[in-house]
Amino acid sequence: AVAVKLSPVEGIEVHVVGGRLLPRQAGLFGDETCRAVAGRHIDLAIMGCEGLDARGTWNSQKDVVRVQRAVIAVADKRCFALDASKLGKRAPVHLCPWEEVELLVTDASAAQLRSAGIDLTPDRVRHVKVGNEDISYANEVVSRRRKHS
């Protein structure tokens, strides 16, 4: 779904990789996907997960986490887009600590984040409204990256 939303944005080139389709997640996963990701360079990875707390991000499917970790390993910048309903929740598999995340995009307030034990500096959090499908911020991040390349 994210790839479809970003594909019409000028200046953003979207790539998807092969693998086993997991219908519930609407994504491609497995060894083939991890190998394909490992051979790539990613400017900006935008990911989701099922929970976030003081330790970082969490997901329930180990296959999903394997691919997300492969993406984290080759991405220059890692962004998580998460709504406030996931605050303070853990899923079975720990994905990554906050040290590996450059940006959190969320509708949660700074107070809600602090209350959940998430202590990120203001430059690492972008607060948005729920349902906001404006992807101009992703375009802005890519533009800034190109200027500094």
Side-chain angles (χ1 to χ4, degrees), residues 51-104:
L52 60 156
D53 67 4
R55 284 191 55 206
T57 60
W58 300 79
N59 234 330
S60 64
Q61 296 286 329
K62 66 181 180 180
D63 287 340
V64 173
V65 170
R66 279 185 59 226
V67 171
Q68 286 179 302
R69 286 179 179 160
V71 168
I72 287 168
V74 298
D76 288 341
K77 292 191 180 284
R78 293 152 297 272
C79 170
F80 278 83
L82 304 165
D83 66 80
S85 71
K86 299 181 179 175
L87 278 174
K89 294 185 178 176
R90 286 186 179 180
V93 186
H94 184 248
L95 173 54
C96 70
W98 290 113
E99 293 77 23
E100 295 180 17
V101 179
E102 278 75 29
L103 182 66
L104 170 62

Side-chain angles (χ1 to χ4, degrees), residues 85-142:
S85 71
K86 299 181 179 175
L87 278 174
K89 294 185 178 176
R90 286 186 179 180
V93 186
H94 184 248
L95 173 54
C96 70
W98 290 113
E99 293 77 23
E100 295 180 17
V101 179
E102 278 75 29
L103 182 66
L104 170 62
V105 178
T106 184
D107 62 329
S109 68
Q112 287 175 301
L113 292 173
R114 280 192 304 277
S115 171
I118 300 166
D119 185 27
L120 298 174
T121 57
D123 63 312
R124 293 178 62 201
V125 180
R126 175 144 171 116
H127 299 279
V128 296
K129 294 179 183 174
V130 171
N132 182 357
E133 294 186 15
D134 181 8
I135 54 177
S136 63
Y137 185 67
N139 199 15
E140 178 186 323
V141 169
V142 172

